[in-house]
Amino acid sequence: MSTLKPKLFTTLKDYTKEQFFKDITAGIIVAIIALPLSIALAISSGVSPEKGLYTAIIAGFLTSLLGGSRVLIGGPTGAFMVVVYGIVTKYGVDGLIMATLMAGVILVLMGLLRLGGIIKYIPYPITIGFTSGIALTIFSSQIKDFFGLKIGEVPVEFIGKWKAYFHAGNTIDIQTTIIGIIALLIIILWPKINKKIPGALIALIVTSAIVKGFNLEVATIGSKFGEISSSLPSPQLPAFDLNKIPLLIGPAITIAVLGAIESLLAAVVSDGMIGGKHRSNMELIAQGVANMGSALFGGIPATGAIARTVANIKNGGRTPVAGMVHAITLLLILVIFMPLAKMIPLTALAAILIIVAYNMSEWREFKELFKSPKSDIMILLVTFLITVFIDLVKAIELGMVLSAFLFMKRMSDVANVNSVNLDAAEEDEKEYFDFEEESKKLKTSKNVRIYEINGPFFFGAADKFVEVLSGLGDTTKILIIRMRNVPSMDATALHAFKRMITMCKRHKIKILISGINEQPKSVLKKAAVYDLVGEENFFNNIENAINYSSKADEN
């Protein structure tokens, strides 16, 4: 099954030495970008900094080894930060590892069940709404470290956070804030000097040197976490608590759904940049294995990282080898340089995540969506607000439910049932019968009536059909149902159809069906309604039905 074949095996068939060197260069650059991000995301997720690197190394390698994309880079991302922090706060690190393992299993099952096409069913306003909501949440979580506020445990809830910040406003540390601003300015301005070396890395080096050189009283990784391990741990299972498993099903589904959405979105974006086509089901399986691998090594949830993937592409990466090089490079950095990470100021890491939040915010797209129909604006705002104030997965769930209802409403608005009386003796003899035009010219007859159904005949439109049926009248002898514009019908429409047949039998009205398409015909046949109407009463076009009704009416 080609759809479940990792891209690595496909790309190696025509692999060249030139591409190998490009992949090595891209992998090293992406690793340098991933280094500060992985540390920052781990700390803001409520775990120790090295766990972010464990995730980038293990999940990053497995994503590239098994993934369905040529260029996707796996690792910790900002989208997971809020979810992970909540799980760690409530269930501890062991609870997080259990939830991540469970999420990995769910992702693998999603891939095996061919659910990779799920991304196409998520409306754009929902994607922008929850992405912007996550961005605001990430920004909110960095205020304490950026300004050096003297707060104990920061509340998980958005409003609770800001209340705590305002109450602690008089504890702002000037030295910490200045270092944070310096880091922010370096990240923003450095690309004007050099685009290859990431500004985030330069910011960490410069601010660490300033804090160490001037012996400033600024919180660092070392002052918060002490010594940091510089070796990759051995894989081990967490202390499984069977009583926690039912409680962790919700968080596991959250991790799996979010991981699937973000990785498939990143794969779609990368396809557009390289002119490729990813294997979505294989990508889900790879993400599942990557998350299980990360959890076994004490890491956090991982998914496809859009920013690192774009950096990979821009630096010449075109095969999964680049992603594997990125993971190996991070492993070397962990072993050689990790002890130096204790000097990194927390405010500098906060500055990095503030920039991440800004880049995630999609504020231009958010603003542009306000030119869309009101229903789409409502979905955007509901998804955004629920993401910020309640929960990310609830935001997606409610956004999808609202989208489904609005879609049904739009379809029912499009679907309509027209009715006209017909004097069969004076109908125009034309090869093509135009219902709208001809119905204006026809004389009123009490004996023959035509109904034309336009659009999908489903539960949203069935009510209209039943409503129009009530106007048949006692003098109607023949009822023509024109269905050339009905692509499909569902069970509710079928029920309405049966009610029509029962009513017509009661009033001794003959039913003729014109121009029915394959799907509605198949539905009527399976329900034995086709035979109930009679095959002889089905006509290819309206003209044949009218000719038949003329003769029947005369008799």
Side-chain angles (χ1 to χ4, degrees):
M1 294 181 291
S2 61
T3 54
L4 294 183
K5 182 180 179 181
K7 275 283 185 178
L8 176 65
F9 303 135
T10 304
T11 56
L12 288 180
K13 288 179 183 176
D14 305 313
Y15 202 52
T16 63
K17 186 168 69 175
E18 290 77 16
Q19 187 55 54
F20 176 64
F21 286 112
K22 286 181 181 178
D23 285 340
I24 287 178
T25 304
I28 293 170
I29 292 171
V30 172
I32 294 170
I33 294 169
L35 174 65
L37 280 174
S38 300
I39 294 171
L41 289 166
I43 292 172
S44 292
S45 298
V47 297
S48 54
E50 72 273 14
K51 292 187 184 297
L53 284 179
Y54 297 163
T55 307
I57 293 166
I58 302 300
F61 189 86
L62 291 172
T63 295
S64 296
L65 178 68
L66 301 173
S69 169
R70 285 175 166 266
V71 291
L72 190 70
I73 302 295
T77 65
F80 278 130
M81 198 189 82
V82 183
V83 177
V84 172
Y85 185 83
I87 296 172
V88 171
T89 302
K90 196 168 184 180
Y91 303 105
V93 173
D94 276 348
L96 173 65
I97 294 173
M98 287 174 63
T100 307
L101 283 169
M102 291 162 66
V105 173
I106 293 168
L107 281 163
V108 170
L109 290 174
M110 287 172 71
L112 293 174
L113 292 171
R114 302 294 199 277
L115 297 178
I118 192 172
I119 191 70
K120 72 179 79 167
Y121 299 109
I122 299 178
Y124 185 62
I126 292 178
T127 305
I128 295 299
F130 83 72
T131 303
S132 301
I134 291 168
L136 180 56
T137 308
I138 291 172
F139 170 76
S140 300
S141 67
Q142 301 311 304
I143 301 301
K144 176 194 171 184
D145 286 340
F146 188 82
F147 292 104
L149 298 175
K150 303 296 185 289
I151 306 173
E153 280 295 318
V154 179
V156 177
E157 301 80 16
F158 181 81
I159 294 175
K161 269 190 181 71
W162 283 98
K163 279 183 178 178
Y165 294 153
F166 283 121
H167 289 151
N170 58 348
T171 67
I172 290 176
D173 185 84
I174 300 301
Q175 289 185 353
T176 300
T177 305
I178 290 171
I179 294 297
I181 291 170
I182 290 171
L184 210 56
L185 290 173
I186 291 172
I187 297 167
I188 294 168
L189 300 175
W190 180 256
K192 299 180 187 297
I193 300 169
N194 188 307
K195 290 186 178 179
K196 291 286 183 183
I197 303 173
L201 182 65
I202 301 301
L204 292 189
I205 294 170
V206 170
T207 55
S208 298
I210 292 172
V211 170
K212 184 71 175 174
F214 290 94
N215 199 26
L216 301 178
E217 292 292 324
V218 173
T220 63
I221 290 177
S223 68
K224 183 172 182 178
F225 296 99
E227 291 297 322
I228 302 167
S229 173
S230 60
S231 61
L232 199 63
S234 302
Q236 59 182 27
L237 288 169
F240 270 97
D241 183 350
L242 296 178
N243 295 323
K244 277 187 179 179
I245 290 179
L247 301 173
L248 290 170
I249 290 174
I253 292 172
T254 300
I255 293 170
V257 170
L258 191 53
I261 291 171
E262 192 165 7
S263 56
L264 293 178
L265 271 176
V268 169
V269 170
S270 65
D271 281 350
M273 294 181 72
I274 65 171
K277 184 171 176 58
H278 72 282
R279 295 166 183 160
S280 56
N281 295 312
M282 190 64 235
E283 189 57 49
L284 289 179
I285 292 172
Q287 291 298 328
V289 174
N291 274 278
M292 287 188 276
S294 175
L296 290 174
F297 280 88
I300 60 178
T303 184
I306 294 177
R308 275 159 272 174
T309 299
V310 170
N312 180 34
I313 294 167
K314 287 184 176 179
N315 287 285
R318 288 296 181 276
T319 77
V321 172
M324 295 161 77
V325 170
H326 135 269
I328 293 167
T329 304
L330 283 172
L331 176 60
L332 294 174
I333 292 171
L334 171 71
V335 173
I336 300 168
F337 297 108
M338 198 57 186
L340 299 175
K342 64 183 180 182
M343 295 189 294
I344 296 173
L346 296 179
T347 184
L349 293 174
I352 291 171
L353 290 181
I354 286 171
I355 296 297
V356 168
Y358 175 79
N359 292 333
M360 271 186 77
S361 66
E362 308 272 15
W363 66 269
R364 290 182 182 86
E365 289 81 358
F366 195 98
K367 181 182 173 185
E368 195 66 25
L369 274 170
F370 276 89
K371 298 176 184 176
S372 304
K374 289 179 181 177
S375 56
D376 289 319
I377 296 172
M378 181 184 73
I379 291 170
L380 170 73
L381 292 176
V382 166
T383 307
F384 173 76
L385 293 172
I386 293 177
T387 299
V388 172
F389 293 107
I390 301 175
D391 177 71
L392 172 65
V393 172
K394 285 186 174 61
I396 296 172
E397 288 171 354
L398 187 56
M400 289 296 288
V401 169
L402 281 174
S403 297
F405 274 114
L406 287 168
F407 173 77
M408 291 184 281
K409 173 69 168 61
R410 286 169 181 164
M411 285 298 98
S412 65
D413 288 343
V414 169
N416 60 72
V417 183
N418 296 321
S419 170
V420 64
N421 288 330
L422 175 67
D423 183 347
E426 296 186 19
E427 49 90 8
D428 290 349
E429 292 187 7
K430 290 186 179 180
E431 291 184 9
Y432 179 75
F433 183 88
D434 188 319
F435 182 86
E436 291 184 7
E437 289 301 317
E438 294 301 327
S439 62
K440 295 173 185 175
K441 302 175 186 176
L442 297 169
K443 269 190 176 183
T444 301
S445 169
K446 293 180 181 179
N447 296 330
V448 180
R449 183 177 285 274
I450 298 176
Y451 282 173
E452 181 175 50
I453 308 170
N454 291 301
F457 193 19
F458 72 123
F459 59 87
D463 189 52
K464 290 183 180 179
F465 182 68
V466 173
E467 188 180 331
V468 174
L469 280 177
S470 62
L472 271 176
D474 294 332
T475 57
T476 303
K477 291 182 180 178
I478 297 172
L479 173 64
I480 301 175
I481 307 292
R482 195 182 195 196
M483 297 181 68
R484 62 168 187 164
N485 294 324
V486 179
S488 60
M489 67 186 295
D490 69 358
T492 309
L494 178 64
H495 178 67
F497 218 82
K498 288 178 179 177
R499 286 175 61 187
M500 173 197 73
I501 292 171
T502 302
M503 187 183 70
C504 288
K505 277 191 174 182
R506 190 167 59 246
H507 293 283
K508 297 181 180 179
I509 299 172
K510 190 174 183 62
I511 299 170
L512 308 180
I513 309 293
S514 158
I516 190 168
N517 290 306
E518 280 305 314
Q519 196 275 349
K521 184 189 284 187
S522 174
V523 170
L524 294 181
K525 282 185 175 180
K526 284 180 182 178
V529 174
Y530 188 85
D531 294 332
L532 205 59
V533 174
E535 187 174 2
E536 71 280 3
N537 294 319
F538 284 82
F539 299 88
N540 291 332
N541 55 62
I542 189 69
E543 194 170 67
N544 289 343
I546 290 171
N547 289 336
Y548 181 89
S549 69
S550 300
K551 295 171 186 175
D553 193 29
E554 288 172 5
N555 296 331

